[in-house]
Amino acid sequence: CPQIQRALLALTLPLETLQVVKGRMLQDMCKGLSRQTHAQACMQMLPTFICSMPDGTEKGSLLVVELCQKHVRTLWVTLLGDGNQNPEVMYKIFDMPGDILRGKGEALFDFIAQCVRQFLAGIDSCQDRLPLGFVFPFSCRQTKLDKAELISWSKGFCCSDVEGKDVVELLQLAINKQEIYNVEVVALLNDTVGTMMSCSKEGKACEVALIMDTGTNCCFMAEAQQVEMVKETSGRMCVNTEWGWFGDDGTLSDILTPYDLRVDQETLNPGEKRFEKLVGSMYLGEIVRHVLMALAVEKALFIGSNVTILRTKYVISTQQVLDIIDNEEGMDAARKMLEALGLGPSERDCCRVQQLCRAVVSRAAALCATGLAAVLTHMRQARELEQLAVNVGVDGELYRGHTRVREILQSVTGLLAPECTVTLLPSVDGTGRGAAVVTAVALRLAAQRCEVNQLLAPLRLSRADLERVQALMRQEMELGLGRETHANASVRMLPTYVCSTPDGKEQGEFLALDLGGTNFRVLVVRVGKDGIHMASDIYVIPTTIMQGTGEELFDHVIECIMDFQQKQDLVDQVLPLGFTFSFPCQQLGLDKAVLLNWTKGFNASGCVGEDVVQLLREAAQRKKHSGLKVVAVVNDTVGTMMSCGYDDPKCEIGLIVGTGTNACYMEEMQNVGTVEGEQGCMCINMEWGAFGDNGCLDDIITNFDRLVDEKTINTGKQRFEKLISGMYLGEIVRHILLALVEKQLLFHGKPCPKLQTRDVFKTKFLSTIETAILTVSLVWDSDGLALRQVQAILQDLELQASFEDSVLVREVCQTVSLRAAQLCAAGLAAVVEKMRENRGLDQLSVTVGVDGTLYKLHPCFSQNLQQMLRDLAPNCNVTFLESEDGSGKGAALVAAVACRGAE
């Protein structure tokens, strides 16, 4: 029969057409996620503020209220912490009076609250607080988990004074009106989200949910950075696609049949929810009715019968359609339905009706599969994956109603998204159990957030804390400069005998020696009119020498200098040498410096209290090396200042933030009580790493800092440095992570043997983690990719981190590095303010020469430092200039300036 064939052809969508529909849906999803195009999108891609999956530890009794089409269901759900496998559920159904659906909004919410009161009257509970999850199956614009404005009614509801209002607030007010003051609405969700959460169980996360019911919808865990309608999110967030509206802009016009158009015209919202009207079970029976009516008019069906009954809406139900498509008993179901309608069907009529019902249902299932394939493809692309394996929770009358629907959904999804492996998980009471799980997760996260905030609070310094640190640093600086008080100051304020910075006229050839860590360098630096040229070699200091005798250490240094001179053909030359010695020294002259104490893991004997230049000269004598002419000894901080001073005459401060930390600056001689003379300036090596060694910083030092300090070779020393520098930040993070594991807040509280190992969490991981976040967010705009990089770093440490774990580890790293930057800013603020006051200026303009891996490589450290410095020292205009080679080039320039002065 050509009429039947034409109808079947119109209702059949080939794979090529489904691919086109999938592409259009992907485009509309992107529009819905974008802040710029959201208003033009049919799929609204609504954020749900559900950012975490259940972990199976959820416990406790929760109240759930579900608003259904004809009734209200109240549930009492008890989760046992068993992976949500066997929740205990009690429920009661309250039939809803028909006039409520289209009456006043206040009456609707009053009725729901009355149901809650009646339900609780039969529950024996002594809980002071009853958290409630509200299942509200309508499109809402959520701004929090417990705040959602109704966008529009559907499914026959049309209550007044509700659209545009917060439905959570309306329900809470109605509950309070019933004098149930211990019930608090903590979460709002729709049935789709509930399905996803109910299908997520321990070890089996479900990240997508699909509803094939009266209406249709889908939600999924999106990369939070892509949900542009929400600010300041990280990790992932469940997005409610509201895909029922897809096609309202005409996108589906080329697949709509005349039957679909007639069904649409008879609805309460013609022209809206075009996709849902092709898929939802509310409409399938109506589509079949219009197909049969059209074919009966064309004399292709029910010849000789009175077909007037087919003009009556809803005479064919979707359940009847599902019964008819069954292979074995479908023909009998068709005959019974058609006979009940008085259509007097023939055997051929029953066969043709079965074919048409199958076409309508198959099209609905294929379109749902197309939507699911679009969602899965979006997830795979957003996560930068070649293959995606995902669990999909599914619920609804249409899905449960027939195996044919499930088979089409699985097979068509596979054809349209071959890079995605999908496991369909049928939901068991997605709305009730799922709402309870959402509510429980919200409570768990709130409790965990409270614990995390409490644990990290001591590391989060207020503006007042930092101003106090600034004032204390200034106080210790004054003590360190005073002749009588110097001995008792924690900030030593050591004179360097460097009394001027480069003026650009320096020329000549100089040697430089840079000793300040496990590696040291020997350089030859040529300063001329065309700039500075350098050649250098790096030499290793073995740990045995670092912690052996002083003679062994300096003999090793001289041997390396001799090797370098041999390679550079400098054996016969005696060049002025600048010696960068990056340890605390009491300088008695430009070429005389007494070591006060070792830092950075050095502990060579026979050196503390000795002149390091003399120790170097004695080693040269032992090695019979006569070509050594040390003219200046400086530390790396002074070298950094001098190096940057060659390029910028306003550079009068040096700052190191690397393995250790220190600062120097040009002080007025009249303020330096430890050196004779009143005229001019002298560079002061602050040795601020020891700031706080006298206990003045004890109120901001945390237990984590104390745990780190206890395991160092200089316990109780260099307290400021241990809060800031790269040698210690990784250890601080490690101890925080261990505390979080112990409190069951990280890695599910599972033992982490490798994390117990000292120094296993390197400070470079902080930079790597935050660099990954920053780079990805700037370049790809995918926070999820960045967090997977964090997961990879943790996996190298044998730490199996969930997405939520990665977010928390990142937060810890950011907290520790931010504190370090802010403390560094507080110290620097004290310096620049002192310089400004020394000079009697209203506004100081000065440049800071800065070096160190933490400052240079950490993606946020310099920005955080500079921002806080502006806040703490608003009357100082401070420019930062990164040193290219402060300790090498700087030492040579100190020697050059010294030679210039001697000439």
Side-chain angles (χ1 to χ4, degrees), residues 325-344:
I325 68 174
D326 188 77
N327 282 331
E328 296 178 2
E329 301 177 3
M331 288 288 286
D332 287 339
R335 182 178 296 104
K336 287 177 183 177
M337 181 192 77
L338 297 172
E339 286 176 349
L341 294 174
L343 296 173

Side-chain angles (χ1 to χ4, degrees), residues 13-26 243 275 362-378 380-381 408-422:
L13 300 175
L15 194 63
E16 294 78 9
T17 302
L18 295 176
Q19 286 280 18
V20 172
V21 173
K22 173 193 166 187
R24 294 171 183 170
M25 187 172 270
L26 272 168
W243 74 11
F275 188 70
S362 297
R363 183 184 67 160
L367 284 170
C368 264
T370 302
L372 181 57
V375 167
L376 297 174
T377 300
H378 173 86
R380 183 185 63 79
Q381 291 173 348
I408 292 172
L409 182 65
Q410 186 86 56
S411 62
V412 175
T413 302
L415 290 170
L416 294 177
E419 307 89 354
C420 303
T421 304
V422 179

Side-chain angles (χ1 to χ4, degrees), residues 69 154-156 213-215 263 276 279-287 314 316 318 397:
Q69 194 158 8
S154 59
K155 304 173 186 176
D213 201 64
T214 311
V263 170
E276 182 166 278
V279 170
S281 63
M282 177 180 275
Y283 306 100
L284 298 190
E286 282 295 277
I287 296 171
Y314 306 122
I316 299 175
T318 295
E397 174 190 10

Side-chain angles (χ1 to χ4, degrees), residues 342-651:
L343 296 173
S346 66
E347 190 74 15
R348 179 175 292 179
D349 287 336
C350 293
C351 181
R352 288 174 174 174
V353 168
Q354 187 182 48
Q355 284 182 294
L356 293 164
C357 287
R358 284 177 178 167
V360 169
V361 172
S362 297
R363 183 184 67 160
L367 284 170
C368 264
T370 302
L372 181 57
V375 167
L376 297 174
T377 300
H378 173 86
M379 292 173 68
R380 183 185 63 79
Q381 291 173 348
R383 298 180 185 186
E384 300 272 328
L385 297 175
E386 292 184 7
Q387 294 286 328
L388 173 71
V390 68
N391 292 329
V392 179
V394 195
D395 202 358
E397 174 190 10
L398 190 58
Y399 178 78
R400 293 191 303 267
H402 207 283
T403 55
R404 185 181 183 86
V405 174
R406 299 192 286 275
E407 289 167 358
I408 292 172
L409 182 65
Q410 186 86 56
S411 62
V412 175
T413 302
L415 290 170
L416 294 177
E419 307 89 354
C420 303
T421 304
V422 179
T423 303
L424 299 178
L425 303 175
S427 172
V428 179
D429 191 12
T431 48
R433 189 182 296 188
V437 171
V438 169
T439 307
V441 169
L443 294 172
R444 172 174 62 79
L445 292 177
Q448 288 180 347
R449 173 42 51 189
C450 186
E451 284 195 79
V452 169
N453 286 344
Q454 191 174 357
L455 188 135
L456 294 179
L459 293 124
R460 290 173 170 153
L461 302 178
S462 67
R463 173 71 175 269
D465 292 329
L466 294 166
E467 287 173 347
R468 191 167 67 254
V469 171
Q470 178 183 352
L472 286 168
M473 176 68 84
R474 176 63 180 271
Q475 180 180 309
E476 291 295 307
M477 288 171 69
E478 301 288 1
L479 291 172
L481 289 170
R483 185 185 301 273
E484 306 299 329
T485 55
H486 171 79
N488 297 321
S490 65
V491 180
R492 307 295 290 273
M493 304 297 285
L494 305 172
T496 64
Y497 295 86
V498 172
C499 296
S500 62
T501 54
D503 62 4
K505 297 177 182 176
E506 294 77 16
Q507 289 190 36
E509 199 169 25
F510 307 90
L511 280 177
L513 175 61
D514 174 16
L515 177 59
T518 52
N519 296 329
F520 80 101
R521 294 181 305 153
V522 185
L523 308 91
V524 58
V525 181
R526 297 173 178 91
V527 183
K529 292 180 180 179
D530 59 344
I532 296 177
H533 304 280
M534 297 184 294
S536 66
D537 264 346
I538 296 175
Y539 297 89
V540 175
I541 303 179
T543 304
T544 52
I545 291 180
M546 287 170 60
Q547 299 180 2
T549 67
E551 285 191 2
E552 291 170 339
L553 173 62
F554 284 96
D555 282 355
H556 179 69
V557 170
I558 290 296
E559 288 169 0
C560 295
I561 292 173
M562 293 168 68
D563 176 75
F564 178 78
Q565 288 182 304
Q566 182 77 37
K567 290 177 181 176
Q568 295 293 327
D569 196 21
L570 298 172
V571 174
D572 297 329
Q573 297 186 49
V574 179
L575 300 179
L577 185 145
F579 182 13
T580 298
F581 188 73
S582 304
F583 301 93
C585 289
Q586 176 70 57
Q587 204 142 354
L588 304 177
L590 190 57
D591 64 347
K592 187 175 179 64
V594 175
L595 176 64
L596 298 175
N597 57 273
W598 285 115
T599 57
K600 306 174 189 174
F602 279 73
N603 199 22
S605 62
C607 298
V608 174
E610 300 294 329
D611 175 9
V612 294
V613 175
Q614 186 58 31
L615 292 175
L616 188 65
R617 287 170 176 157
E618 290 171 359
Q621 290 175 359
R622 285 194 297 273
K623 293 295 179 179
K624 297 182 172 52
H625 180 56
S626 57
L628 191 70
K629 180 185 176 184
V630 182
V631 298
V633 59
V634 296
N635 70 6
D636 53 352
T637 319
V638 177
T640 294
M641 183 189 76
M642 296 294 278
S643 170
C644 293
Y646 185 80
D647 300 312
D648 182 352
K650 289 169 65 177
C651 182

